Amino acid sequence: MRTCQMLYPRDTESRRAVSMDGMWKFQLDEKQCGHEEGWKDGLPAPDMIPVPASFQDFYTEKDIREYTGDFWYETDFFVPGEWEGKEVAVRFGCATHRAEVYVNGNRVTVHEGGFLPFSAVVTDIVRYNSYNKVVVLVNNELNVTSIPCGETKVLRNGKKMSKPYFDFYNYAGLQRPVKLIAYPKEHIEDFSVVHAFKGQDAIVQYCVETTGQHKVILDVYDADRQKVASAAGKEGKLLIPRVHKWNVGDGYLYRFVIRIMDGENLIDEYFEPIGIRTVEIKGKDILLNGEKIYLKGFGKHEDSDIVGRGFNIGVMKRDFECMKWINANCFRTSHYPYSEEIYQMADREGILVIDEVAAVGLFKSETNFAEASTGKQTAFFQEATIPRLLENHLQCVEDMICRDKNHACVIAWSLMNEPETTDEAAVPYFRKVFDRAGELDPQKRPRTFAMIMNSQPDTCKCYQFSDFLSFNRYYGWYVMGGYEISDAEEAFHREMDAWEALDLNKPVVFTEYGADTCAAEHKLPSVMWGQEYQIEYLEMCHRVFDSYDFITGELVWNFADFQTTEGIMRMNGNKKGIFTRDRQPKEAAYYLKERWH
Ligand code: CKU
């Protein structure tokens, strides 16, 4: 097991986690002079802005919303005197898309990738029992080696703008909680659990990584706080008698408490709520605890009014209530790993998650959704920039798996969204990404990637890497929409027949299918964009799904309307939500609730 500093910050007998969220100083670096003028020591003319949040939607000036380049955050934080002797770090839930962190003027860390946590260890830099200053330089520019991919265009007036190769707004900033943490010098760095069942009991294989040699003990408590198992040593097996299995709608969590002991003295303590379940693929089925499951739910986004992609605890709560109401059991974290708090909630609620890395846009196009069915080739994987992209991609896969590997809710890894798979050059790239994920996950969860419409049985060179196939399909929307929907249904069947003929003996999950729908539009008989058409479209897709035994899941695109870049294909965002952006049901929500009952 690889060590990484990904453990979620917690207060325990030996640890402290203090929220740094609130109003931070904020300044755009339009003239790119921040470095030269020493902004690392303090911003010269800052505004105040909330953290966590995307910066874009607070302002009324379009030049700020569309700002692309460097921007800076600053705040002061107090380090208690009693922390002297411990390790102290500032931990960012994310910084989109890259960051440089300065504490008291010292550069303490840099980080690439906008959707995973990182920390800056500041033990020897901070002043104890006094205030300290953290300044963060964040940059939101996209390029062909960033995860996700895109371009940065320079307009004739010299201003830069983002040109994503993907269909969601390029929100940026300190979008997730920031925490000041203190932990012992000798500490628990990481741990993993792998579950198996034997009769009514569970056997949990565990492995703890620490920075020292002192003794490790592990205790497991049930939901009534009764101790049900114990073990000693950094690696071993625990037997949990008459186990309460974690399941859909039954997010039963045990509390695993890990301690490093020096005789009777506690050195470090960490705990984690853990659900005990197994996931595997058997032939054409996905099995949870040995039983077949059919996935019902959505591709989602972290996206809401005003705070953009900022973690919002209220929106999270509402989303889970809506998912339960509609009888969903699963969502995909399209198109990036979400805030850690969301997986904790999915664990508690018993909702399944397909965890997706931010490798979206591996197809040279700003509108790959529109070009998906045209057979367009961009030779993406032949570019000279591919080795650098792969490096970033593998790092993100590594960090995602390290961060999320113990969550019961995570049943699969989605390692890319809609890459160009029609070129042999993609094959070695895929092999490296899939192999790495396989090595890193102690639970060996199924791996997949979401397949764009032109990844067809006769053209896709990469489907063999997936443990189950994930299809994004838009028959009846991007192709043969409206009154042509009967042709769409036939074409859809033709494609599914061709997959069936390959006899892959693997499950297929629809990770996207959907139709843009304006919440205000009704028309009888239906028209595209109207509420009636969204239902007709879903009914058509479901007739197709229900006629193949290898189809084991349907995740509608999208849970809610979401913000995108402006353009003629989008009306202030993508409107394929089953809920509106403020999380109210469209007509189709009642239809799905019925079907998924
Ligand atoms: C969605 C070819 C389909 C790609 N898919 C990606 C997703 O991010 C888009 O929002 C299409 C759409 O609505 O077009």
Side-chain angles (χ1 to χ4, degrees):
M1 188 174 61
R2 178 188 153 269
T3 40
C4 54
Q5 287 199 336
M6 285 287 171
L7 293 184
Y8 188 74
R10 296 186 190 285
D11 286 308
T12 71
E13 227 181 290
S14 58
R15 293 177 172 237
R16 291 291 174 269
V18 178
S19 173
M20 292 174 68
D21 298 348
M23 295 301 276
W24 287 46
K25 291 179 181 163
F26 177 76
Q27 192 168 348
L28 301 180
D29 194 352
E30 284 155 306
K31 299 206 181 86
Q32 259 193 293
C33 59
H35 271 302
E36 215 170 292
E37 292 181 2
W39 291 14
K40 67 183 178 59
D41 298 313
L43 302 181
D47 189 21
M48 297 295 281
I49 199 176
V51 170
S54 311
F55 74 80
Q56 280 90 351
D57 285 350
F58 294 124
Y59 294 96
T60 54
E61 295 93 332
K62 195 155 178 172
D63 281 344
I64 303 184
R65 190 184 70 204
E66 300 301 320
Y67 178 79
T68 303
D70 288 347
F71 48 99
W72 299 66
Y73 287 86
E74 175 190 332
T75 199
D76 291 333
F77 61 99
F78 187 81
V79 181
E82 56 277 21
W83 287 8
E84 224 161 326
K86 294 208 182 250
E87 293 287 14
V88 179
V90 182
R91 187 190 192 266
F92 297 85
C94 78
T96 318
H97 293 286
R98 58 192 62 79
E100 278 176 38
V101 183
Y102 297 86
V103 170
N104 299 337
N106 304 286
R107 187 164 123 140
V108 287
T109 199
V110 295
H111 186 262
E112 172 73 30
F115 300 96
L116 287 159
F118 62 96
S119 25
V121 179
V122 294
T123 314
D124 302 326
I125 283 165
V126 287
R127 286 182 296 272
Y128 291 84
N129 223 356
S130 79
Y131 276 94
N132 294 268
K133 187 182 294 304
V134 59
V135 174
V136 190
L137 162 60
V138 187
N139 174 283
N140 63 350
E141 287 172 56
L142 297 168
N143 60 58
V144 287
T145 65
S146 61
I147 294 285
C149 298
E151 286 169 32
T152 300
K153 177 174 180 179
V154 183
L155 302 176
R156 303 283 293 252
N157 63 12
K159 293 199 160 88
K160 289 190 261 188
M161 83 177 279
S162 297
K163 290 283 187 185
Y165 289 176
F166 49 85
D167 184 39
F168 50 92
Y169 194 75
N170 189 33
Y171 282 120
L174 299 180
Q175 306 185 113
R176 293 180 187 164
V178 183
K179 285 177 175 143
L180 179 65
I181 56 176
Y183 49 97
K185 293 244 149 97
E186 181 174 347
H187 57 265
I188 299 150
E189 263 200 319
D190 195 14
F191 77 99
S192 67
V193 285
V194 180
H195 313 295
F197 298 119
K198 200 170 164 206
Q200 301 213 311
D201 308 333
I203 315 276
V204 181
Q205 179 104 39
Y206 74 90
C207 178
V208 180
E209 197 79 33
T210 73
T211 56
Q213 293 313 319
H214 282 97
K215 186 175 165 194
V216 170
I217 60 171
L218 204 153
D219 293 308
V220 181
Y221 298 85
D222 66 14
D224 301 321
R225 302 196 170 245
Q226 298 301 311
K227 198 193 278 191
V228 294
S230 292
K234 288 190 181 182
E235 273 177 60
K237 274 187 186 163
L238 289 153
L239 184 128
I240 299 176
R242 290 177 307 284
V243 65
H244 188 145
K245 293 178 186 167
W246 185 94
N247 217 323
V248 171
D250 183 12
Y252 190 93
L253 300 174
Y254 289 88
R255 177 178 287 225
F256 281 54
V257 182
I258 305 169
R259 294 190 183 92
I260 305 179
M261 301 298 294
D262 182 5
E264 288 298 292
N265 295 327
L266 178 80
I267 296 179
D268 189 19
E269 178 185 68
Y270 188 78
F271 68 87
E272 184 80 31
I274 300 266
I276 299 180
R277 56 96 191 92
T278 58
V279 192
E280 70 200 291
I281 303 269
K282 208 170 188 183
K284 296 174 205 160
D285 295 310
I286 302 176
L287 307 182
L288 181 70
N289 299 329
E291 293 185 17
K292 284 189 203 184
I293 41 162
Y294 187 86
L295 309 181
K296 303 173 288 185
F298 303 99
K300 287 183 92 265
H301 266 296
E302 289 183 289
D303 172 280
S304 65
D305 206 16
I306 302 176
V307 294
R309 190 143 294 122
F311 173 68
N312 181 315
I313 197 167
V315 171
M316 170 177 79
K317 174 69 181 163
R318 175 70 182 182
D319 284 6
F320 276 87
E321 289 306 311
C322 289
M323 285 191 280
K324 288 189 287 178
W325 171 82
I326 206 168
N327 299 309
N329 63 15
C330 182
F331 65 91
R332 174 173 64 123
T333 69
S334 38
H335 293 308
Y336 36 81
Y338 291 178
S339 261
E340 292 153 290
E341 294 77 5
I342 296 175
Y343 301 78
Q344 293 167 2
M345 183 108 181
D347 277 345
R348 284 197 301 275
E349 294 286 2
I351 298 238
L352 309 168
V353 173
I354 298 178
D355 204 0
E356 184 160 277
V357 78
V360 44
L362 279 60
F363 185 105
K364 220 174 155 128
S365 168
E366 283 160 30
T367 55
N368 53 14
F369 50 86
E371 282 158 346
S373 56
T374 62
K376 177 176 169 174
Q377 303 284 323
T378 71
F380 183 86
F381 287 98
Q382 293 179 29
E383 300 285 334
T385 46
I386 286 297
R388 181 83 191 101
L389 176 70
L390 178 63
E391 214 175 288
N392 285 334
H393 191 164
L394 291 173
Q395 188 62 53
C396 291
V397 168
E398 215 166 280
D399 290 352
M400 171 178 78
I401 294 179
C402 189
R403 189 191 72 163
D404 297 339
K405 63 183 178 297
N406 292 327
H407 284 290
C409 64
V410 175
I411 56 158
W413 309 112
S414 171
L415 300 174
M416 293 178 227
N417 182 69
E418 301 180 335
E420 186 170 52
T421 62
T422 45
D423 183 355
E424 282 293 344
V427 173
Y429 187 102
F430 269 69
R431 182 169 296 120
K432 290 195 187 91
V433 174
F434 276 74
D435 283 354
R436 182 67 62 88
E439 288 155 19
L440 289 168
D441 181 14
Q443 296 189 1
K444 306 293 172 216
R445 290 170 179 85
R447 296 153 301 171
T448 191
F449 71 99
M451 288 163 70
I452 195 166
M453 197 140 164
N454 65 11
S455 294
Q456 292 282 322
D458 56 336
T459 58
C460 178
K461 309 270 194 281
C462 301
Y463 61 78
Q464 67 280 9
F465 292 108
S466 286
D467 298 312
F468 64 87
L469 271 49
S470 296
F471 289 162
N472 294 357
R473 290 296 179 272
Y474 289 91
Y475 293 102
W477 184 254
Y478 290 120
V479 290
M480 295 169 266
Y483 192 48
E484 290 175 66
I485 197 167
S486 52
D487 282 358
E489 188 165 354
E490 247 187 72
F492 207 162
H493 270 296
R494 266 202 308 280
E495 186 193 341
M496 289 309 117
D497 291 346
W499 285 108
E500 190 170 42
L502 289 182
D503 202 15
L504 299 175
N505 197 30
K506 282 185 184 183
V508 167
V509 172
F510 281 88
T511 38
E512 282 187 25
Y513 62 108
D516 281 276
T517 304
C518 276
E521 291 301 330
H522 276 283
K523 190 136 184 153
L524 185 66
S526 72
V527 285
M528 293 173 79
W529 293 87
Q531 298 238 24
E532 290 73 13
Y533 188 75
Q534 191 176 33
I535 298 174
E536 285 171 22
Y537 166 90
L538 293 172
E539 285 172 334
M540 180 280 282
C541 293
H542 295 151
R543 279 196 298 278
V544 175
F545 300 170
D546 294 345
S547 45
Y548 298 91
D549 66 347
F550 55 86
I551 292 172
T552 57
E554 48 190 61
L555 306 182
V556 178
W557 192 253
N558 186 282
F559 170 73
D561 294 347
F562 60 92
Q563 194 64 60
T564 65
T565 306
E566 58 192 326
I568 53 167
M569 298 285 287
R570 296 288 177 258
M571 200 195 69
N572 184 21
N574 186 309
K575 302 294 180 197
K576 295 193 185 69
I578 296 301
F579 294 88
T580 56
R581 201 178 188 214
D582 59 356
R583 276 55 175 182
Q584 296 303 330
K586 296 182 191 170
E587 290 287 328
Y590 299 94
Y591 159 71
L592 283 173
K593 180 176 168 61
E594 189 68 31
R595 171 170 167 88
W596 289 344
H597 182 59

